[in-house]
Amino acid sequence: MIAALPTIVSRLRLKQLRLLIALDEQGSLHRAAEQVSISQPGATKALHEIENTFGAELFIRTSQGLQPNDLGRCVIRYARLIQSDLAHLREEMVGIIQGHGGRLSVGVIMGAVPLLMRALGRLRRRQPELSVEIVEDTSARLLGLIDEGRLDLAICRSSVSRRPDAYDCLTLHPEQLAVVAHPAHPASGAQTLQLADLSNYRWVVYPANMPMRLLLEREFSQAGLEFPRYPVETASTFTMLSLLQQDPELVAVMPLAVAQFSEGFGMIRQLPLSLQSRSEPYGVIVRHGSSLSSAARLLLEEMQAEQLPS
């Protein structure tokens, strides 16, 4: 039986986590002991203590050395995360002491990427030594990273959560959508289009229950049309653009800001079709009652100063 959390917290030491990472890298207790600068008997004792702490064996003993089992791989993965978090902690502390720089972790949905890039561009001119991590994902996954404390803030929608009241929305930004396709799409030369004109083409769509997928389903329903069969589902900007490049007959819906950026490089073309439904605004989201770091506050100021689309 796996030990209780208070037991693990009270017994586990950082040097033991370093040993686990070294064992994974070296595959040998002797070489791992050398890497963390302890004796082999000391490493053997430390590994025994680690497994006692967790209440489970983490490695398989073979004639070739030690190999992590499923539990061991799980623990090693988190050991690496803890080591990375400590490195980020030190980096941020140095920035605070020196009065500049620091570190910022930001999550963003696809439609808000252009807004974030403009705000970050201005912020990094003010704070050139600022280290920034950007995670692009769905709102649901970004909220999970906020819950884990891995993001300072996220530009997304809290409505997808079962507990939207667990978050504070600091700004709101409307989002316009565009119907797009490859420049060589058969409908790209049309002056006007109705949704029925595109219903027989294959579509690239967002995964089920995502706001833009729900909006598109509503559009088809209101037009009395069947939702496209066998669509390709993705929440990735790059994947969506790549698919449109590979197949000139695909159609997709994406945020207007992303469509305009991509169209500027000749990758896609906006089709002359206006959607009737309005997309739900996204916002700058943080955990309810949490305080922002100085770098996050500066980024928020830049986004608040951004001119909202009409």
Side-chain angles (χ1 to χ4, degrees):
M1 182 176 179
I2 303 300
L5 179 60
T7 300
I8 296 173
V9 171
S10 64
R11 293 183 182 177
L12 198 62
R13 300 192 300 274
L14 292 177
K15 195 163 187 177
Q16 292 174 330
L17 297 180
R18 286 182 56 213
L19 176 62
L20 288 176
I21 295 170
L23 280 168
D24 185 47
E25 293 174 348
Q26 301 295 338
S28 158
L29 196 60
H30 174 69
R31 292 194 296 271
E34 288 183 342
Q35 183 170 316
V36 298
S37 301
I38 60 175
S39 66
Q40 184 167 337
T44 302
K45 180 182 178 183
L47 178 57
H48 183 67
E49 291 172 347
I50 294 168
E51 293 183 322
N52 282 343
T53 294
F54 283 103
E57 287 192 356
L58 305 179
F59 289 83
I60 300 170
R61 279 74 175 170
T62 70
S63 57
Q64 286 76 38
L66 294 176
Q67 296 295 324
N69 57 23
D70 288 344
L71 289 176
R73 284 189 287 271
C74 175
V75 174
I76 290 167
R77 178 163 55 88
Y78 278 94
R80 293 186 185 279
L81 287 173
I82 292 169
Q83 182 171 269
S84 176
D85 285 345
L86 286 172
H88 293 158
L89 168 63
R90 182 186 180 280
E91 184 180 336
E92 190 165 336
M93 290 177 70
V94 169
I96 292 170
I97 291 171
Q98 294 177 347
H100 60 269
R103 189 173 190 280
L104 181 61
S105 296
V106 187
V108 62
I109 56 173
M110 177 174 69
V113 169
L115 166 69
L116 176 61
M117 294 304 102
R118 292 191 297 268
L120 271 178
R122 294 191 298 270
L123 176 57
R124 295 188 75 245
R125 286 192 288 272
R126 294 168 59 186
Q127 299 274 3
E129 296 182 13
L130 179 66
S131 175
V132 182
E133 176 188 16
I134 302 170
V135 179
E136 182 194 343
D137 214 321
T138 64
S139 291
R141 290 174 180 162
L142 294 176
L143 294 176
L145 293 175
I146 286 181
D147 292 340
E148 294 172 8
R150 301 201 170 275
L151 295 176
D152 293 294
L153 52 84
I155 311 171
C156 63
R157 298 177 176 91
S158 59
S159 61
V160 301
S161 171
R162 294 179 182 177
R163 287 279 319 280
D165 58 331
Y167 308 94
D168 290 333
C169 182
L170 305 181
T171 65
L172 271 179
H173 301 266
E175 182 176 53
Q176 295 177 282
L177 302 179
V179 181
V180 301
H182 190 282
H185 189 278
S188 64
Q191 295 298 310
T192 60
L193 288 171
Q194 301 296 320
L195 194 56
D197 298 324
L198 301 174
S199 61
N200 291 326
Y201 291 103
R202 292 196 67 187
W203 285 67
V204 185
V205 301
Y206 288 85
N209 298 320
M210 287 185 62
M212 277 191 276
R213 169 66 173 268
L214 296 173
L215 182 147
L216 187 60
E217 290 175 351
R218 188 162 61 248
E219 289 281 323
F220 272 89
S221 176
Q222 291 173 350
L225 300 169
E226 181 183 13
F227 192 76
R229 293 184 179 184
Y230 317 116
V232 182
E233 298 186 2
T234 181
S236 164
T237 309
F238 181 75
T239 300
M240 185 173 288
L241 290 171
S242 298
L243 287 165
L244 293 172
Q245 286 290 297
Q246 291 295 320
D247 187 346
E249 298 215 348
L250 283 174
V251 182
V253 170
M254 64 174 54
L256 178 61
V258 178
Q260 290 173 333
F261 177 85
S262 305
E263 191 172 31
F265 288 94
M267 301 174 68
I268 59 170
R269 178 173 295 176
Q270 295 183 58
L271 299 181
L273 170 63
S274 297
L275 299 175
Q276 303 303 309
S277 303
R278 289 182 175 271
S279 179
E280 177 189 348
Y282 56 78
V284 176
I285 306 297
V286 296
R287 284 289 295 177
H288 177 63
S290 64
S291 58
L292 293 176
S293 67
S294 58
R297 285 196 300 272
L298 290 173
L299 178 62
L300 179 61
E301 290 173 8
E302 293 293 349
M303 285 190 285
Q304 287 173 329
E306 178 82 16
Q307 175 143 17
L308 300 181
S310 58

